[in-house]
Amino acid sequence: MKQIVFLDGQYVEKSKAKITVFDHGLLYGDGVFEGIRLYNGCIFKLHEHIERLFLSARYIMLNIPMTREDLIEATAETVRRNGLYESGYIRLVVTRGEGTLGLAPWLCPKPSVFIIATTIKLYPDEVYEKGLMLVTAATTRNRVETVNPRIKSLNYLNNILARIEAHNAGAEEALMLDHNGYVIECTADNIFIVRGKKIVTVPVYMGALKGITRDCIMDLARNRGLEVAEEPFTRFEIVAADECFLTGTAAEAVPVTRLDGRVIGSGEPGPVTKELIGAFREITSSDGVRIDGQKGSGRKGSKKR
Ligand code: PMP
């Protein structure tokens, strides 16, 4: 089946899905995006992703040239045209559009919108069973007064540098700190630590993305009677924690068992992490916006993994 991409109102074959070299998304990273998952015929947390996209766009003063409803429909149609159902990954991008070689976004008359629907597997199954090793990156996370990490912008160089550092050190993800040494997040995931029956993540005002998986995991934890807190912490608290895990749309929820050569907790994924991974898998298979346009969520209880 040929891959079909939504590009500025048209559904085109992948080979024809091209944007101009004068697009400021490419020239300057001037644009916003979302990564969204499809499970079992339903797009997970689609409304939340669309809201975050509009909020990111509002902050960078970019007018998305489509309504929320049209974007939702175009997203579902892109998924359908690619024959995806059981599982998929959607990339929704809005760039500033074509302009001059100056920075001036006001000289870019028409933002560009494109939607890619494909499949994704970020980490091997083994990582979910044994846990991931993190290495702290020397590159710190953007400060909130610069490009605030709450904006999901096309400007990912900060994260890319940290990811290269982790890769060069043999790790699959990098831990990113702020300029004071507080833990912020990873290059594409939020971070949680577990202490007994309490889970703790970083407050977004410190400079982390308000992850949609993060918020979902916090809700699932509260519903299970766990205490949930947003508090600053350092690398010391990660090593001192009972458990640690990351959350993200592509990664889902993944255990972390090592940080910079130190063992976290028992060195194995812990019971709270495992319970939350299970709860997350359950909700992704039974919740979301149906791609067939019908109301209601996905088929409860159907197997997908
Ligand atoms: N932080 C960063 C820097 C990310 O790129 C992502 C992935 N979008 C996340 C956290 C996790 O956010 P979400 O759960 O919304 O995918």
Side-chain angles (χ1 to χ4, degrees):
M1 192 181 223
K2 288 220 166 86
Q3 195 173 343
I4 302 294
V5 176
F6 173 90
L7 176 59
D8 294 328
Q10 313 278 323
Y11 294 93
V12 296
E13 275 180 25
K14 180 183 172 184
S15 60
K16 300 208 172 82
K18 303 247 163 88
I19 59 162
T20 164
V21 293
F22 293 94
D23 191 302
H24 279 210
L26 172 65
L27 288 173
Y28 299 117
D30 186 356
V32 292
F33 78 100
E34 284 295 320
I36 311 171
R37 276 302 264 272
L38 164 85
Y39 298 99
N40 202 24
C42 291
I43 305 174
F44 189 60
K45 301 279 180 198
L46 179 57
H47 295 288
E48 287 81 350
H49 283 285
I50 298 286
E51 283 314 314
R52 188 171 66 182
L53 183 79
F54 273 86
L55 191 54
S56 296
R58 172 137 67 99
Y59 194 79
I60 70 161
M61 293 171 272
L62 169 67
N63 289 321
I64 298 180
M66 289 174 73
T67 63
R68 287 168 169 75
E69 294 68 34
D70 289 347
L71 264 181
I72 287 170
E73 179 42 34
T75 305
E77 181 61 16
T78 308
V79 169
R80 288 193 291 267
R81 292 205 185 203
N82 285 283
L84 294 165
Y85 188 84
E86 281 293 301
S87 126
Y89 180 80
I90 302 155
R91 180 57 61 89
L92 183 41
V93 183
V94 187
T95 75
R96 189 74 69 177
E98 184 169 351
T100 63
L101 288 186
L103 289 180
W106 52 90
L107 298 179
C108 302
K110 199 172 155 287
S112 209
V113 180
F114 57 88
I115 307 170
I116 305 166
T118 180
T119 52
I120 196 168
K121 188 169 172 85
L122 209 61
Y123 300 122
D125 290 341
E126 198 193 78
V127 163
Y128 293 86
E129 282 144 30
K130 297 204 172 136
L132 194 84
M133 174 176 87
L134 289 182
V135 163
T136 307
T139 301
T140 55
R141 193 72 179 99
N142 283 337
R143 295 170 66 132
V144 288
E145 69 274 30
T146 61
V147 181
N148 192 316
R150 287 206 56 185
I151 312 161
K152 199 161 168 56
S153 84
L154 294 180
N155 213 306
Y156 254 55
L157 201 48
N158 178 235
N159 313 46
I160 289 166
L161 293 181
R163 179 66 73 84
I164 293 172
E165 288 162 12
H167 180 77
N168 288 347
E172 292 188 84
E173 231 323 358
L175 180 70
M176 299 188 78
L177 310 178
D178 72 0
H179 53 287
N180 289 317
Y182 284 99
V183 170
I184 300 297
E185 59 181 340
C186 293
T187 65
D189 303 305
N190 292 109
I191 185 162
F192 284 82
I193 52 175
V194 182
R195 273 188 233 121
K197 294 277 168 211
K198 178 175 176 182
I199 68 165
V200 184
T201 193
V202 177
V204 287
Y205 64 75
M206 290 185 71
L209 184 75
K210 190 167 165 24
I212 286 165
T213 320
R214 166 193 188 272
D215 290 356
C216 177
I217 286 282
M218 289 201 283
D219 284 344
L220 291 170
R222 281 189 205 99
N223 294 342
R224 274 161 181 74
L226 296 168
E227 191 187 336
V228 178
E230 293 173 72
E231 294 166 5
F233 55 89
T234 65
R235 287 163 69 232
F236 188 91
E237 278 81 38
I238 297 182
V239 176
D242 298 324
E243 303 174 31
C244 176
F245 62 89
L246 310 181
T247 62
T249 296
E252 304 178 317
V254 51
V256 178
T257 47
R258 274 170 184 72
L259 170 65
D260 299 317
R262 297 160 177 89
V263 172
I264 302 168
S266 66
E268 307 272 326
V272 173
T273 303
K274 283 191 192 154
E275 185 182 347
L276 291 173
I277 291 176
F280 185 72
R281 288 187 172 167
E282 173 109 16
I283 194 170
T284 56
S285 66
S286 61
D287 201 20
V289 172
R290 285 173 59 162
I291 57 166
D292 60 10
Q294 300 295 304
K295 294 245 178 307
S297 55
R299 285 170 290 138
K300 287 201 172 20
S302 59
K303 290 203 188 77
K304 71 185 172 63
R305 273 173 251 249

